[in-house]
């Protein structure tokens, strides 16, 4: 199923960015690859696909064992806000 693969893909990016933010937020200043991943995550979050994935989760159409923190509105929003508060996104 494509939706599960997509959620896993973005979940991996979400987890990596969350870990880096908690353990070494300064790496966002030097690792351009992380900035690219932030932009990828933002694009997904602001897309119709994220809304469709979110609705699928709300309707119980996803497997119960699928990790889906990426579909938490507060989680992804807060992560992106914290990263933007570092004021490094526009420098990339």
């Amino acid at each position: 199923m494509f939706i599960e693969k997509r959620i896993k893909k973005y979940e991996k990016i979400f987890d990596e960015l969350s870990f880096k933010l908690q353990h070494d937020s300064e790496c966002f200043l030097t690792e351009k690859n992380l900035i690219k991943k932030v932009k990828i995550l933002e694009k997904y979050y602001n897309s119709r696909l994220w809304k469709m994935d979110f609705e699928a989760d709300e309707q119980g159409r996803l497997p119960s064992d699928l990790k889906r923190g990426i579909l938490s509105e507060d989680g992804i929003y807060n992560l992106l806000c914290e990263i933007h508060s570092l004021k490094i996104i526009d420098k990339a």
Side-chain angles (χ1 to χ4, degrees):
M1 179 183 260
F2 293 118
I3 189 170
E4 292 174 36
K5 187 175 181 178
R6 182 173 53 244
I7 291 170
K8 287 178 183 179
K9 171 188 170 182
Y10 290 109
E11 187 72 27
K12 183 177 177 183
I13 294 170
F14 177 84
D15 287 347
E16 178 185 0
L17 295 176
S18 295
F19 180 85
K20 293 285 189 176
L21 185 65
Q22 290 176 1
H23 294 94
D24 184 17
S25 63
E26 290 185 19
C27 68
F28 285 94
L29 298 170
T30 57
E31 294 183 33
K32 291 189 182 220
N33 188 41
L34 287 177
I35 302 305
K36 288 179 184 177
K37 289 181 180 184
V38 170
K39 291 181 179 186
I40 289 168
L41 195 60
E42 284 179 318
K43 185 175 179 180
Y44 171 64
Y45 180 57
N46 291 308
S47 74
R48 193 177 119 227
L49 283 176
W50 184 88
K51 290 176 182 82
M52 290 172 31
D53 295 347
F54 179 81
E55 288 173 6
D57 186 34
E58 290 286 304
Q59 294 168 0
R61 294 187 290 137
L62 300 177
S64 60
D65 63 341
L66 178 66
K67 188 175 177 197
R68 58 168 88 33
I70 193 71
L71 300 178
S72 161
E73 287 181 276
D74 291 341
I76 191 169
Y77 176 81
N78 290 341
L79 174 68
L80 293 171
C81 284
E82 285 183 57
I83 291 170
H84 278 283
S85 74
L86 299 172
K87 303 204 183 293
I88 46 98
I89 297 301
D90 295 330
K91 295 177 184 178

